[in-house]
Structures are given as C-alpha cells and as structure tokens.
Amino acid sequence: MSTAVVLGASMGGLLAARALAGLHDEVVVLDRDALPPGPDHRRGVPQGRHFHTLLPRGVQALDAMFPGLSERLVEEGSPRADFAGAHLVLGGHEFARADVGVPAVQVPRPVLERAVRERVADLPGVEVRTGCEAVGLVSERGRVTGARVVRDGVERVLAADLVVDATGRGGRAATWLGALGHPAPVEERIEVDAAYVSRLVRLTEPFPDHLVLVGPAPARPTGFALAKHGGDRWMLTAVGVGGVHPPVDERGHLEFVRRAAPPSVFRAIESASPLTEPLLHRFPTSLRRRYERLRDFPLGLLVFGDALCSFNPIYGQGMTVAALEAEALRRCLRAGEGDLAGRFFRAAARIVDPVWLLNALGDLALPQVAGHRSPSTRLLNRYVARVQRAAAHDPRVARMFIRVTGLLDPPTALFRPDVAARVAVGRSRRA
Ligand SMILES: Cc1cc2nc3c(=O)[nH]c(=O)nc-3n(C[C@H](O)[C@H](O)[C@H](O)COP(=O)(O)OP(=O)(O)OC[C@H]3O[C@@H](n4cnc5c(N)ncnc54)[C@H](O)[C@@H]3O)c2cc1C
C-alpha cells in the first residue's frame, strides 16, 4: 500500500493530487484551512478576492484532467470567454480583436477551486483533510518518510512514501530541508513591488465585452481589469507595479482606474454600483526556488506550484503553470521511482523557464521596476514593443501575442518569419 501526502489543498495541491491519483493507492491532500463547502473565500488564499484568469493553456490542461470541467462551469453561470470579446490594452496599445481558438471560461477563483476540489475528492483513493497544519518533515536514512501535522492542537506524523509540498510561496520546505541536514535551494527574485486593489461592482448598463484588461506600460506603470463574474457582477481590480500602488479609499481607487481607462469603459465603471469595499493585496517580489540545481535532495519529497515559483500575478500564469507541472508530474511518476525528484524538478524548470523569462522581460520593460537590464533584455524588449504596436492593427500579430502570453505557444513563436514580417510591415507603414 503506497501513500502520497500533499501539503496544501489550493490549486497547486489539488492538481498535484490529480497527477498522483491512481499511481499511489492512497493520496491525502491536507490544508490548514477549514475548506468551505461552497465557492467561498478563505484565509489561506487571500489572492482569491482579486481578479484571476485561467489562461487558454490552463483551460486545455484542466479540461484534459477533468473532462467537461469548463462546460460545467459555464452551465453553472461563469461566462464563456474568448479573446474576440476582450478589450485588451497591452504595452499602451489597444489590440485588434483576435480569436485564439481555445474557448475559455471567466471563472471567479473560489468557484474554480471548489469545482476542482470536488472533482479531486471524487477520485478513487483521494482524501481531502481540512484543519491540518504541516509543521515539518520526518526522514530516515536520507529519505522523507512523512510529514509532521498538527490538528486540533495535537501533532502527529503522517507516514508517506511521497510528500509533496504545495503550501504556496510561503512554503517552508527549504527550512524543513535544512532541519534534516540538506541545503536550501538558491532563490531568484524580481522586485516588482506590485499591488492589487479590488472590489466587486454591479454595472448598471449593458456592456459589450466580458473583459477589459489594461496592462502597465513604460509610460504608466498602472492598469486595471474589469471582468464579468456572472450575471451583472463584475470584478474591478486596479493594479500598479514598481511601487506605484492603487489607493484603497473609494475615490482614490476610482481616480486611479480613470487614469488608465479608455473613456467609454470608465463611463461604465463610474456609474457602477459598488458591491464590496476595495481590498489591497501587495506582491513585492516574484520568487523562484531553483530546486532543480540541488545535488543533495532527499528521496520521497517534491515541491510544487507557487512553492516552486511564484510569478508576478499581472500575467495570470500561476494556475496554468501548476496544471502543466501536474502533467509533467504524472509523466515522471509513470516513468518510475528512480531520480523522481531530479526528473520532476528538471521538467518543472523547463515549464517555468520561458514563463519566468517572459515575465522578466515584461517587468523590466517598465522603468519603475528595479533590476539589471542586459543588452539582450533591452533588445528583446524593443522587439516586443514593436510586436505590441503591430498588434494594434494586425489581428494575426495580436493572436500570436495572446497565444504566447496564454502559454499556448512558446515565446520563440513571436520571432517566426511570418510574425516578424508582419511586425516589420507594421513598422514601415507607421514610418
Ligand atoms: C493577487 C494575485 C492574483 C493572481 N492572479 C492569478 C491569475 O489571474 N491567474 C493565475 O493562474 N494565477 C494567479 N495568481 C497565482 C495563483 O493564485 C497561484 O499560482 C495558485 O493559487 C497556485 O498556488 P498554490 O496552490 O501553489 O499556492 P496557494 O494558492 O498559495 O495555496 C497554498 C495552500 O497551502 C495552504 N497552506 C499553507 N501553509 C500550510 C501548512 N503549513 N499546512 C497546511 N496547509 C498550508 C494554504 O491554506 C493554501 O490552501 C495570482 C496570485 C496573486 C497573489
């Protein structure tokens, strides 16, 4: 009888459990929160109160793991979303409307997490336990053999053949490794100094799109998202990076949004009825832990999701990357036990690498974000700015940019000759 224990039952932990199901006799997913039966917010996922989107690649991956999931979410009231119905302003350019070919669902974060949790809990051999706080690991002869878990004030050891740390960016696997005599991984950071201030509103007039997304740009490191949440409820999230943070008071929040909003969009926002108070979430740094570089790592342990890499949320990638890591984990598990951690961390690094690179480019394009800009960073960012300019009038360039940032295609797709030619034509037209 083999047992896997997943620490953390947010999107990362649930997707890891999906990968483990059927390959271990028993999979226990535990969380220190009391997990709500409905699609409600909880303490361990404060980011769930802010705008969340599942990128097209994430929709594909989740539908493959949980057949019919996105259809079901639409039936239950989440709007079906495609990019032709999204008003995107990226790098200061309003993009031409483009359909990327993958139907998406604009689902509030607690609704998505609840739906995935229900599916995972229904898998044979999987059990989700609440109110259990992981406080450490136990090991024997260089192998992790379980987790130390506190429930109702009592600490017990939960024995396991495999422990997966999915406790988010605050995850303490690195510290726990130290206590067992192993080195901690190197950490890389990008000091994005970002903040979100979000509230739910009710739009009082019909609105043509399901999403308005205005990203930070070099001339103005602020933006916002206005996203349909079902019915006439919309999530309004103001965002600022490089220390330029949205105010939390009502007037200041509205004024901050006004500065970034197209006038027609702002008219709808201004006349909307607020449903909740503006709420702040700060995000000082993107953080990547390089577990794949460790030579001395115990058997029986993996680290997953935000605990491996926590991305700047403005690009909306965390859940999609967790889904891709789950696909990779299942492949690694199927290939056998040998060097499982090494193979999984290398596979996860191959998923994270291009995403981390894209983010670093996007962040460092903003003069307000601290960090070293190498000549190649500057060169690449000049090209990306041209792509965004061309995307304003060329739906095919817009489509490719959205496919790359939606993780459907690799960043190299932006340099394909057909795309580069269109970008060059756009440039000479303007000249
Ligand atoms: C403001 C914001 C907006 C975001 N927007 C998007 C978006 O649009 N799209 C997207 O894909 N991603 C987005 N993300 C990222 C996304 O939320 C995460 O990538 C995703 O939740 C997966 O993370 P995780 O499960 O690894 O960790 P988390 O979601 O942080 O979950 C960690 C879990 O572990 C539990 N836990 C913590 N410590 C312990 C312990 N000691 N014992 C037991 N349980 C514990 C917590 O209760 C929690 O349930 C955003 C993030 C932020 C901050």
Side-chain angles (χ1 to χ4, degrees):
M1 173 97 173
S2 66
T3 302
V5 169
V6 181
L7 312 177
S10 174
M11 286 300 287
L14 294 171
L15 296 174
R18 173 67 191 86
L20 291 157
L23 299 175
H24 282 270
D25 301 312
E26 185 184 44
V27 179
V28 178
V29 196
L30 57 86
D31 204 284
R32 66 180 166 198
D33 273 2
L35 301 172
D40 299 313
H41 294 293
R42 60 188 180 89
R43 214 184 65 173
V45 184
Q47 73 269 31
R49 295 177 184 273
H50 298 265
F51 171 61
H52 263 66
T53 184
L54 187 61
L55 297 178
R57 183 67 185 89
V59 176
Q60 280 183 336
L62 258 61
D63 270 341
M65 282 184 241
F66 308 104
L69 179 75
S70 62
E71 277 302 322
R72 181 75 195 276
L73 291 167
V74 171
E75 279 164 26
E76 287 174 359
S78 291
R80 185 178 295 291
D82 58 40
F83 282 91
H87 182 149
L88 303 181
V89 183
L90 303 175
H93 303 279
E94 184 176 333
F95 273 34
R97 300 292 171 125
D99 188 351
V100 301
V102 180
V105 184
Q106 201 159 290
V107 51
R109 166 66 199 243
V111 176
L112 178 63
E113 188 179 308
R114 197 268 315 243
V116 170
R117 187 164 64 236
E118 281 180 359
R119 292 287 191 105
V120 168
D122 277 351
L123 294 168
V126 176
E127 185 194 346
V128 181
R129 289 188 198 167
T130 69
C132 298
E133 179 170 14
V135 294
L137 301 170
V138 284
S139 79
E140 247 180 67
R141 290 191 291 276
R143 177 179 191 114
V144 169
T145 52
R148 289 169 40 221
V149 175
V150 174
R151 187 179 209 177
D152 299 330
V154 180
E155 183 179 317
R156 290 201 179 84
V157 169
L158 201 54
D161 302 278
L162 180 64
V163 175
V164 180
D165 174 24
T167 54
R169 72 176 273 145
R172 284 186 288 149
T175 313
W176 296 340
L177 279 172
L180 300 179
H182 298 278
V186 167
E187 291 188 350
E188 289 176 8
R189 290 165 191 268
I190 306 174
E191 308 288 335
V192 292
D193 196 0
Y196 276 38
V197 175
S198 302
R199 69 189 318 188
L200 284 175
V201 299
R202 175 170 289 131
L203 292 194
T204 52
E205 286 162 27
F207 193 76
D209 298 313
H210 58 79
L211 173 67
V212 182
L213 189 67
V214 178
R220 178 190 39 72
T222 67
F224 74 97
L226 177 68
K228 191 170 181 152
H229 252 212
D232 54 1
R233 289 159 71 90
W234 292 67
M235 168 72 80
L236 174 62
T237 290
V239 60
V241 299
V244 185
H245 294 174
V248 185
D249 68 283
E250 200 156 310
R251 264 167 181 267
H253 185 245
L254 199 61
E255 175 56 20
F256 188 92
V257 171
R258 187 188 65 72
R259 280 190 231 130
S264 63
V265 175
F266 186 68
R267 273 195 296 279
I269 293 173
E270 197 180 23
S271 64
S273 325
L275 299 173
T276 56
E277 293 296 315
L279 195 83
L280 171 74
H281 189 104
R282 290 196 60 180
F283 185 89
T285 53
S286 303
L287 171 64
R288 181 174 185 187
R289 299 189 172 108
R290 309 296 308 243
Y291 280 98
E292 78 281 8
R293 292 187 182 163
L294 285 177
R295 294 251 169 96
D296 173 12
F297 192 84
L299 296 171
L301 178 67
L302 297 176
V303 182
F304 196 92
D306 277 20
L308 257 189
C309 186
S310 153
F311 299 99
N312 181 349
I314 68 167
Y315 306 110
Q317 298 148 331
M319 298 187 296
T320 295
V321 167
L324 299 179
E325 286 172 7
E327 291 179 347
L329 175 57
R330 197 152 176 93
R331 283 193 298 273
C332 291
L333 289 162
R334 281 202 163 124
E337 257 243 353
D339 189 28
L340 177 65
R343 286 185 289 115
F344 171 69
F345 288 138
R346 286 192 292 277
R350 284 193 292 277
I351 293 164
V352 170
D353 278 341
V355 184
W356 184 259
L357 173 82
L358 266 181
N359 286 8
L361 277 181
D363 295 336
L364 295 174
L366 306 174
Q368 299 80 3
V369 171
H372 171 66
R373 278 103 176 137
S374 66
S376 62
T377 301
R378 289 174 192 279
L379 194 69
L380 286 169
N381 265 335
R382 275 203 291 278
Y383 181 71
V384 171
R386 279 183 211 147
V387 173
Q388 289 173 329
R389 239 178 274 144
H393 55 79
D394 187 334
R396 288 177 63 178
V397 177
R399 178 175 191 273
M400 187 47 83
F401 190 84
I402 297 166
R403 283 187 64 88
V404 168
T405 50
L407 307 186
L408 289 169
D409 289 323
T412 46
L414 291 178
F415 298 91
R416 272 186 1 206
D418 57 323
V419 181
R422 287 178 163 271
V423 171
V425 167
R427 198 162 174 238
S428 60
R429 256 202 218 134
R430 269 194 328 281

